[in-house]
Amino acid sequence: MSIRAQEIQTLEDGKTEEFIGDDGVLIEVKKLEKSSRRIRSKIGMEASLDSVWSVLTDYEKLSDFIPGLVVSELVEKEGNRVRLFQMGQQNLALGLKFNAKAVLDCFEKELEILPHGRRREIDFKMVEGDFQLFEGKWSIEQLDKGIHGEALDLQFKDFRTTLAYTVDVKPKMWLPVRLVEGRLCKEIKTNLTSIRDAAQKVIEGVIHDL
């Protein structure tokens, strides 16, 4: 099922819409206020937490395999703190293109040991760019062997590892939030499937080398 902008134009304050597509990406959109949205997304995959983490934190290579991400530049890294410059490009109606630029401060959290597995997260916040607000987190969670996620989302119970992405976004005044919302949902779905595919190729490459 595709994400259609018209399906999410009429959200009332606090209301949430949820979509899941044939590609296995769950998207949830919540209207925070008139021009702000919280978008939650998740995908399951057959890859380890470490494989997903290595793909996600190889920041300058993200633009090699994520469509629409034109530039991903590591500006500075000190310990767990990272500053990135990223630029994305989206095609709009009538042949127009929208370029979004952002300087992001990221914080790579330490590995958490959970009762049912492990989790690691990256918090990010835009400090300069084409949005009034753009902040959220990446979260990778891997279940221990033999755990089938009874207490987790049912649609991901067959996957050992999940990758979740949450972002609060508020565009600049001149850009309609409905347009940004629809484009972001589509972009997030593409980003998650691209990272899933790249992480699973890491596993395939390790097996091939054995």
Side-chain angles (χ1 to χ4, degrees), residues 84-108:
L84 304 175
F85 170 74
Q86 292 187 333
M87 183 172 70
Q89 185 178 83
Q90 288 289 319
N91 294 321
L92 304 181
L94 305 175
L96 299 176
K97 292 184 182 292
F98 170 63
N99 293 319
K101 301 176 183 178
V103 177
L104 299 170
D105 277 351
C106 306
F107 180 71
E108 302 174 352

Side-chain angles (χ1 to χ4, degrees), residues 108-169:
E108 302 174 352
K109 293 185 175 182
E110 297 296 334
L111 182 69
E112 297 178 71
I113 304 300
L114 307 174
H116 57 268
R118 303 185 299 154
R119 179 170 61 210
R120 199 164 186 189
E121 298 181 331
I122 301 173
D123 290 338
F124 62 87
K125 183 175 183 178
M126 188 196 75
V127 293
E128 181 182 337
D130 294 331
F131 295 90
Q132 293 188 66
L133 171 69
F134 194 91
E135 63 181 44
K137 69 177 179 180
W138 290 93
S139 181
I140 312 163
E141 191 165 324
Q142 179 179 315
L143 298 177
D144 290 333
K145 291 182 178 179
I147 300 295
H148 298 289
E150 292 87 349
L152 304 180
D153 296 315
L154 289 178
Q155 58 265 44
F156 300 110
K157 65 182 177 63
D158 295 328
F159 294 99
R160 189 177 170 199
T161 301
T162 56
L163 173 63
Y165 176 82
T166 301
V167 63
D168 291 350
V169 60

